[in-house]
Amino acid sequence: MKQYKLRIYNTSGANKGNLNHEELFSTPEEMQKRYTELFVYNLFSLNPTAWAYRNGEWDRVSISTK
């Protein structure tokens, strides 16, 4: 099981703000790279959210754009 995921949201249309899809990763570095590719400064809350699987549940984690 992959331990990291990004949740990607719709940025326009009738479903704006709703979950579009999730992408799973084996390492936090892979997730960071993909997050950086997707991040758009002016999207604010519509940017992807990062998650790590810990102790049997998904926890939201902070991720940097640098």
Side-chain angles (χ1 to χ4, degrees):
M1 177 177 176
K2 296 189 178 182
Q3 301 293 310
Y4 303 93
K5 71 178 177 180
L6 287 177
R7 293 178 58 113
I8 315 300
Y9 302 94
N10 291 310
T11 58
S12 63
N15 287 317
K16 183 176 181 178
N18 292 334
L19 181 66
N20 183 303
H21 68 281
E22 296 180 337
E23 297 181 11
L24 300 171
F25 304 91
S26 298
T27 67
E29 293 81 14
E30 291 173 345
M31 181 177 65
Q32 172 72 49
K33 181 180 178 196
R34 181 66 172 137
Y35 182 86
T36 301
E37 292 171 358
L38 295 171
F39 181 83
V40 177
Y41 180 76
N42 289 328
L43 283 182
F44 304 107
S45 64
L46 296 178
N47 275 304
T49 54
W51 300 78
Y53 193 74
R54 300 177 183 151
N55 301 318
E57 62 183 49
W58 287 102
D59 293 321
R60 188 164 176 190
V61 295
S62 177
I63 195 163
S64 173
T65 57
K66 296 178 183 178

